Amino acid sequence: MATKSSIHIKPCNIASSKAHNRRTAEYMRNIGESRIYVIPELSTDNEQWINPDFGTPELRTHYDNIKRMVKEKTGRAIQEKERERKGKNGKIIKVAGCSPIREGVLLIRPDTTLADVRKFGEECQRRWGITPLQIFLHKDEGHWLNGQPEAEDRESFKVGDRWFKPNYHAHIVFDWMNHETGKSRKLNDEDMATMQTLASDILLMERGQAKTVTGKEHLERNDFIIKKQKAELQRIEETKRHKEQQVNLAEQELKQVKAEIRTDKLKSAATDVATAITSGVGSLFGSGKLKDLEQANESLRYEISKRDKSIDDLKVQMQQIQEQHGRQIRNLQGIHNQELEAKDKEISRLNTILEKAFCWFPLLKEMLRMEKLCYVIGFTKGMVDSLLYKRETIRCSGKIYSEEYRRRFETKNATFKIEQSPVDGNKLVLTINRQPIGEWFKEQWEKLRQGLRQFTEEPPKSRGMKL
């Protein structure tokens, strides 16, 4: 099953960028279960990378360095805020502010590594000159399902008594400036489309709207907390479509009015000619018909004037609708950014507590890794409690799953136990019949391969000839 790929580029929020350096992975009592969207068992799979060539991991410091560089290279201060200017036709044009640091969000596979994403960033730098500053891989986010997953859902897995749907993604922060000229890099729509294809090729993803796989499909947005934000954004889109419909209707009416005015002007010109001719031969027809023609001509001129005023009113109305829509979009985006910043602060606080817990209890991270392994293999919560917390040996029969070989292997009356690693005293290992589980999986895989090889190499038995 293939996985689609997508990358979304946006200006980087410098104020909240530190939140990417610390990820939460601990259940907290002061948060309701329905809001938890980070699974601590998966936090050990997160990775990060900071570009050492720029001397500082702080984006605010790097941003200030860019501002000084732009001033030195161009002699002008960097244009950070949106501004307005008057075009050649007299209309006001809004010019967006410069975004020297931008953030891309990539949907990735469960087995995507930091090296894979770094390769994508290096290729972007080679092609377009945008330099990767920071990379963060998040493999512990997702959302809880309300009940059992659907039959076609191959991605969700059970954590305790509840089902969890993960959302694997990566953040990559780019320096978007040309440090030789002091100007921002310019990427058009074709460049952005090529970037999408590049991401799919390097990360072994299918080109399109991204979701991750290995038999799993993950959410495009990841947690219960931002459901409210998604609903708000959907409402913005609906409002936008309504305003666009109003503008389209106004433009259609404007075109119709212009067409009618052209027709009226032609009628007016024809009437003027007829009036001139008739005035020359008025004695033949009498003065009454001449007055009727003059009154009809005046009526047409009045109608044209009224239509011109209607056009001006429509233009004013269209401008007001566009300005109102723009204000609504900016207000809602501001609220959305505030909620995201508050969420990042909460994540940062929780992650600080988690880091302290790892320092105080060195085996905590290993216990979390063992718990994750047991659930992936297929053990129930009661079996995990016996193995991990009670440190008991359990005996069972059935099929256990291997992530490395992506298949289940049969066991009969096997004994399982979590023991201290004989190689590293700070590590734990799950054993089956006193053998490390990884070695046992490898042996079973080799037996399966040999059986398949013998089956394919065995010649078919001759059935003889029948008369």
Side-chain angles (χ1 to χ4, degrees):
M1 183 182 297
T3 300
K4 293 185 178 180
S5 168
S6 75
I7 178 171
H8 173 62
I9 300 293
K10 62 180 181 179
C12 183
N13 187 351
I14 303 297
S16 61
S17 63
K18 292 183 180 179
H20 291 304
N21 295 326
R22 300 182 297 273
R23 301 289 296 115
T24 183
E26 178 174 331
Y27 295 103
M28 300 303 297
R29 293 181 180 177
N30 60 337
I31 298 181
E33 282 191 15
S34 61
R35 295 184 58 200
I36 297 174
Y37 70 103
V38 175
I39 298 300
E41 294 90 340
L42 307 179
S43 296
T44 54
D45 295 335
N46 292 344
E47 298 180 84
Q48 68 178 30
W49 171 81
I50 308 296
N51 193 333
D53 295 339
F54 287 84
T56 173
E58 298 293 334
L59 291 183
R60 170 52 64 182
T61 302
H62 186 69
Y63 186 83
D64 294 338
N65 293 338
I66 290 177
K67 291 170 64 176
R68 286 193 293 271
M69 180 273 295
V70 172
K71 182 67 175 179
E72 293 173 0
K73 296 288 185 179
T74 66
R76 301 188 301 272
I78 190 171
Q79 296 291 337
E80 302 178 70
K81 297 182 179 180
E82 182 183 76
R83 62 191 187 279
E84 296 182 349
R85 65 178 180 85
K86 183 176 291 186
K88 294 181 179 180
N89 57 359
K91 293 184 178 180
I92 300 299
I93 302 174
K94 293 185 178 180
V95 182
C98 179
S99 301
I101 298 179
R102 305 186 188 186
E103 178 183 4
V105 181
L106 281 161
L107 294 181
I108 60 176
R109 296 159 52 100
D111 55 355
T112 299
T113 65
L114 189 61
D116 296 332
V117 184
R118 284 189 62 183
K119 183 179 179 182
F120 167 73
E122 291 168 358
E123 186 64 19
C124 289
Q125 183 177 7
R126 187 185 69 81
R127 294 194 184 199
W128 299 291
I130 56 176
T131 305
L133 300 176
Q134 301 176 357
I135 297 175
F136 305 92
L137 265 63
H138 293 169
K139 297 186 177 181
D140 57 352
E141 296 185 19
H143 77 283
W144 296 107
L145 300 180
N146 292 328
Q148 293 282 344
E150 297 180 357
E152 63 273 12
D153 187 350
R154 300 289 302 279
E155 62 181 8
S156 301
F157 55 88
K158 213 169 185 181
V159 178
D161 295 331
R162 302 177 65 185
W163 286 89
F164 183 75
K165 183 185 287 289
N167 175 28
Y168 302 111
H169 62 279
H171 298 262
I172 177 167
V173 180
F174 287 105
D175 182 335
W176 215 264
M177 300 299 292
N178 185 333
H179 286 251
E180 295 182 359
T181 64
K183 296 182 180 180
S184 177
R185 304 286 184 180
K186 305 298 182 185
L187 274 68
N188 55 31
D189 292 341
E190 183 178 354
D191 294 328
M192 299 308 295
T194 303
M195 188 181 295
Q196 294 278 359
T197 304
L198 180 65
S200 66
D201 291 343
I202 293 179
L203 302 180
L204 302 179
M205 312 278 273
E206 182 181 311
R207 176 70 167 88
Q209 185 180 0
K211 294 182 182 178
T212 50
V213 82
T214 37
K216 302 178 180 179
E217 258 182 23
H218 298 279
L219 294 177
E220 295 180 6
R221 300 297 295 167
N222 58 353
D223 53 79
F224 178 82
I225 295 178
I226 61 173
K227 283 185 179 179
K228 175 182 175 182
Q229 298 166 3
K230 288 174 62 180
E232 189 65 24
L233 290 176
Q234 183 177 0
R235 191 179 69 82
I236 293 174
E237 290 298 325
E238 292 175 354
T239 303
K240 179 181 177 182
R241 286 194 294 270
H242 176 68
K243 298 298 183 182
E244 289 175 347
Q245 289 176 356
Q246 290 181 329
V247 172
N248 290 335
L249 290 174
E251 289 178 347
Q252 292 175 5
E253 185 175 350
L254 180 61
K255 290 179 181 179
Q256 182 180 357
V257 170
K258 287 182 176 180
E260 292 177 356
I261 287 176
R262 285 195 294 269
T263 302
D264 291 343
K265 287 183 176 180
L266 290 174
K267 290 180 178 179
S268 177
T271 303
D272 289 340
V273 173
T275 302
I277 295 173
T278 305
S279 63
V281 293
S283 58
L284 297 177
F285 298 99
S287 59
K289 291 187 177 180
L290 181 61
K291 289 182 179 179
D292 291 340
L293 290 172
E294 289 176 348
Q295 290 176 357
N297 192 27
E298 185 64 27
S299 176
L300 286 173
R301 289 196 182 95
Y302 173 74
E303 186 66 23
I304 292 172
S305 175
K306 187 170 66 172
R307 292 293 173 85
D308 287 341
K309 185 177 183 305
S310 177
I311 290 174
D312 294 337
D313 293 341
L314 285 172
K315 288 181 179 179
V316 173
Q317 184 179 1
M318 289 171 59
Q319 183 68 23
Q320 291 174 349
I321 290 173
Q322 291 174 348
E323 291 176 355
Q324 181 182 7
H325 177 241
R327 287 194 299 270
Q328 291 176 346
I329 292 295
R330 288 192 293 272
N331 291 338
L332 292 173
Q333 286 178 342
I335 295 173
H336 175 68
N337 291 336
Q338 290 176 2
E339 292 178 348
L340 286 179
E341 185 175 352
K343 184 189 73 171
D344 287 338
K345 289 181 180 179
E346 181 65 16
I347 291 174
S348 175
R349 185 181 70 84
L350 296 176
N351 194 68
T352 301
I353 297 174
L354 179 65
E355 291 176 352
K356 291 180 180 179
F358 284 153
C359 293
W360 294 339
F361 307 102
L363 280 179
L364 175 59
K365 186 177 291 187
E366 277 298 293
M367 293 178 70
L368 292 173
R369 187 175 67 85
M370 285 292 102
E371 185 181 38
K372 172 189 172 184
L373 175 62
C374 290
Y375 282 126
V376 170
I377 286 175
F379 290 159
T380 64
K381 184 178 184 302
M383 297 168 72
V384 174
D385 290 343
S386 297
L387 282 170
L388 192 61
Y389 307 121
K390 299 178 182 178
R391 291 297 183 93
E392 296 176 350
T393 300
I394 64 173
R395 185 181 299 273
C396 60
S397 299
K399 292 184 178 181
I400 59 176
Y401 180 74
S402 168
E403 275 191 322
E404 181 178 1
Y405 301 105
R406 297 183 181 180
R407 66 180 302 112
R408 298 184 180 275
F409 296 98
E410 185 74 31
T411 62
K412 293 183 179 180
N413 201 24
T415 59
F416 296 87
K417 187 177 181 181
I418 293 180
E419 303 178 8
Q420 193 173 27
S421 173
V423 179
D424 187 349
N426 294 325
K427 298 289 185 179
L428 297 177
V429 62
L430 175 64
T431 63
I432 174 173
N433 297 331
R434 305 188 64 81
Q435 181 183 12
I437 192 71
E439 297 178 5
W440 186 87
F441 277 138
K442 185 177 180 181
E443 289 182 1
Q444 302 306 309
W445 175 250
E446 291 297 331
K447 291 178 182 178
L448 179 62
R449 290 179 58 189
Q450 292 176 4
L452 292 174
R453 189 180 299 113
Q454 292 175 359
F455 177 77
T456 55
E457 292 176 356
E458 182 178 350
K461 295 182 181 179
S462 174
R463 298 184 179 181
M465 299 178 61
K466 293 184 179 180
L467 298 178

